[in-house]
Amino acid sequence: MTIKEIDKKYIANTYARFPVAITSGQGAILTDDEGKDYIDMGSGIGVNIFGASDKQWLEAVREQLAKLQHTSNLYYTEPCARLAEILCSRTGMKKVFFSNSGAEANECAIKVARKYAQEKKGDGYFNIITVEGSFHGRTITTLAATGQDIFHQDFLPLTPGFVYTKANDINDLLVKVKENKIAAIMFETIQGEGGVVPLDNDFIQEMVKIAQEEDILLIVDEVQTGNGRCGSLYSYMDLGLNPDIVTTAKGLGGGLPIGATMLGDKVKDVLTPGSHGSTYGGNPVACAGAINVINRLDEKLLAGVREKADYIKAELEGAEGILSLTGKGLLIGIETTKEAQRVVSECREKGVLLLTAKHKVRLLPPLTISFDQLSKAINVIKEVCAS
Ligand SMILES: *Cc1c(COP(=O)(O)O)cnc(C)c1O
């Protein structure tokens, strides 16, 4: 049987896979089992920050792997402590809880918010406001947090305690805060899975204001927008926000599973021994990869991300068959005349791998993609969109 046939027979049928089996890669180039090369404009959904088999990252991971692969959280390990120290010094957050995915990072944020509000504000203040169109994960609780009915319908009842506000509708937000006992507001600065939709700055500022006035925690979900993706270390930093909790995953490990829930001053001591945990959380190999990622996301690399973003926008804005561009840095949504799925499959045939988000084409290339590779990919996208 081929890889595809075995997969179809034995893998749970949750993914509409592209008809490609990737076997290896180097930087922004991926190679399939027939030896065909592709320019990777998806980076494993924003995970492979430095592309495939990046030398320095590989060395950092290999070195730790050869020493020890896992200890559990019964013991101290250096990579985990160092990574938390680096994240806090780069962001100003105070403490970190490590897990293995974006959904788990958000689960922890939700638990912290509930415990904080329960202790500080009393019974009933367990509700968390999220935004329509958001995406926060696939566990029953993070599905409940996700403001999209389409993900909910087959899995009811979901965890109670989530209230959805319309995106960019300040009146609706204020009504929801007034009508419910609220522990926290959780949002993405740019809704990634929701179609690369940025929230209006006015709306974000209103969330900040109401959160301050009502002692409501601000949780920013930086699972997709974080780790340099939008041209700053975390996208909230560019907006001058001071969140109480920041969650991240995807690009953090550079290709190994890790999630982080960063806790600010107000909530840094909410979690106590036994109140939360994860067997794999803070795994030394994943943390060694993440240390390499964060340490290399310096101002020079971030400026490169912004420069590449400007280049993509200049090339695609107003091009034939392209209706609109949204996003920031190397998280870009493209509305095309042609159906997004068709653009993706025609580009794939021409050796360029893209993603979709809702009805849009989505670009999430490795941050280190070269201008030469980028320009080749952009030319293919333009050609396909125009035809
Ligand atoms: C991908 C994503 C998640 C879920 O991350 P997993 O690692 O798949 O659990 C949560 N929030 C946002 C904003 C995401 O883009």
Side-chain angles (χ1 to χ4, degrees), residues 222-346:
E222 296 265 9
V223 173
Q224 189 153 161
T225 50
N227 311 301
R229 178 56 54 188
C230 294
S232 50
L233 185 60
Y234 292 99
S235 69
Y236 79 84
M237 296 169 102
D238 230 15
L239 305 174
L241 306 181
N242 251 319
D244 299 298
I245 306 177
V246 176
T247 63
T248 194
K250 288 200 168 93
L252 177 61
L256 288 172
I258 181 168
T261 308
M262 297 184 249
L263 307 173
D265 232 354
K266 256 191 189 179
V267 296
K268 65 178 194 289
D269 297 320
V270 168
L271 294 176
T272 49
S275 62
H276 198 44
S278 165
T279 300
Y280 269 118
N283 170 275
V285 180
C287 287
I291 289 172
N292 182 265
V293 167
I294 297 297
N295 278 342
R296 286 165 66 191
L297 291 175
D298 56 10
E299 193 37 51
K300 183 164 169 246
L301 198 141
L302 296 173
V305 170
R306 299 192 291 268
E307 202 186 333
K308 286 166 197 172
D310 290 345
Y311 168 78
I312 295 174
K313 284 205 171 126
E315 286 289 315
L316 294 183
E317 214 129 58
E320 205 182 333
I322 290 178
L323 301 171
S324 75
L325 287 178
T326 52
K328 199 169 177 186
L330 292 174
L331 165 56
I332 296 178
I334 312 171
E335 221 175 350
T336 52
T337 316
K338 221 183 246 186
E339 205 203 334
Q341 287 297 351
R342 250 187 79 202
V343 173
V344 170
S345 59
E346 288 175 31

Side-chain angles (χ1 to χ4, degrees), residues 45 47 100-106 134-139 142 146 186-188 190-194 221-225 247-250 257-259 362 364:
I45 319 190
V47 166
N100 317 286
S101 67
E104 285 170 274
N106 287 335
S134 60
F135 183 84
H136 298 296
R138 301 281 194 164
T139 63
T142 56
T146 293
M186 173 153 119
F187 65 98
E188 304 151 87
I190 301 171
Q191 295 180 337
E193 300 303 315
D221 179 343
E222 296 265 9
V223 173
Q224 189 153 161
T225 50
T247 63
T248 194
K250 288 200 168 93
I258 181 168
R362 176 173 42 155
L364 281 173

Side-chain angles (χ1 to χ4, degrees), residues 141-292:
T141 298
T142 56
L143 264 188
T146 293
Q148 301 188 56
D149 285 342
I150 186 163
F151 289 109
H152 294 172
Q153 57 204 16
D154 295 337
F155 304 104
L156 304 174
L158 301 177
T159 308
F162 291 90
V163 175
Y164 312 105
T165 177
K166 292 193 177 73
N168 303 323
D169 185 334
I170 291 174
N171 278 336
D172 191 45
L173 172 71
L174 296 179
V175 167
K176 298 289 157 64
V177 170
K178 203 165 167 201
E179 287 181 349
N180 301 278
K181 292 180 171 176
I182 303 298
I185 302 174
M186 173 153 119
F187 65 98
E188 304 151 87
T189 61
I190 301 171
Q191 295 180 337
E193 300 303 315
V196 194
V197 181
L199 288 187
D200 290 349
N201 196 45
D202 285 357
F203 183 71
I204 293 179
Q205 292 310 326
E206 193 61 37
M207 292 197 282
V208 170
K209 188 164 156 258
I210 193 83
Q212 251 159 17
E213 287 168 5
E214 307 279 335
D215 192 12
I216 289 170
L217 299 175
L218 267 193
I219 306 173
V220 184
D221 179 343
E222 296 265 9
V223 173
Q224 189 153 161
T225 50
N227 311 301
R229 178 56 54 188
C230 294
S232 50
L233 185 60
Y234 292 99
S235 69
Y236 79 84
M237 296 169 102
D238 230 15
L239 305 174
L241 306 181
N242 251 319
D244 299 298
I245 306 177
V246 176
T247 63
T248 194
K250 288 200 168 93
L252 177 61
L256 288 172
I258 181 168
T261 308
M262 297 184 249
L263 307 173
D265 232 354
K266 256 191 189 179
V267 296
K268 65 178 194 289
D269 297 320
V270 168
L271 294 176
T272 49
S275 62
H276 198 44
S278 165
T279 300
Y280 269 118
N283 170 275
V285 180
C287 287
I291 289 172
N292 182 265

